[in-house]
Structure formats: C-alpha cells, structure tokens
Amino acid sequence: LHVDRQVIGCSDHDGEEVYNLDGEEMWFADFIKREGVEPQPPFIDHITYQDGTYQTAEANQQTCKSNLDVVRTAMKDFKIED
C-alpha cells in the first residue's frame, strides 16, 4: 500500500501546495517562479503531472485565502475559555 497526500496551506503572505507519495515530494507549486516543480530523483520512473496543475494550485490558494478571511471574521468575537 502507498500513502498519497496533497497538502494545501496559506497565510496572508505565503502559500504551499504539494503532492507526496510515501513521504516523498512528487510535485510542488513554486509560487515565486510561477511554475510546478517535479523534484523526483533520476533513478525512478518519472511521474509527470498534467497541464494545468499549477493553475489549479493558484486557484486553490485564492480559495484558501478566502476561507481564511471567513474564519477570521467568524472567530473575531469568539471568546476563548480559560
């Protein structure tokens, strides 16, 4: 069995999207260079992600930041219990 993970995260100033297989990065979005990166070692059969994966990552970042704003608004008046 293999463990396949996708991680999407964001903050006001940064973002992350990465695909992992068995704990190894298979693809990640480089939002500075505006491209997807496939940092796979040369000794494996290379896995290529389809066209549009980076654009989907950018859209996911917009959704993440929108959700972050919604949560901040919802939690603004939430009283923390001691």
Side-chain angles (χ1 to χ4, degrees):
L1 295 175
H2 295 282
V3 178
D4 184 27
R5 291 197 173 110
Q6 176 187 18
V7 177
I8 301 171
C10 66
S11 69
D12 289 332
H13 308 289
D14 203 6
E16 178 80 20
E17 181 151 351
V18 63
Y19 292 95
N20 292 291
L21 180 62
D22 294 336
E24 299 291 330
E25 279 189 343
M26 302 305 290
W27 184 94
F28 69 89
D30 186 334
F31 293 115
I32 295 170
K33 293 182 180 178
R34 300 182 55 106
E35 65 183 16
V37 179
E38 297 173 342
Q40 301 164 37
F43 55 83
I44 68 167
D45 291 334
H46 190 78
I47 298 171
T48 300
Y49 286 79
Q50 66 184 5
D51 290 340
T53 303
Y54 177 77
Q55 290 76 13
T56 301
E58 284 186 326
N60 289 342
Q61 287 300 299
Q62 294 303 315
T63 301
C64 185
K65 289 179 182 184
S66 177
N67 290 342
L68 187 60
D69 289 340
V70 169
V71 170
R72 283 185 179 144
T73 301
M75 299 298 290
K76 179 178 68 168
D77 296 324
F78 189 78
K79 185 172 182 168
I80 298 174
E81 294 181 19
D82 294 325

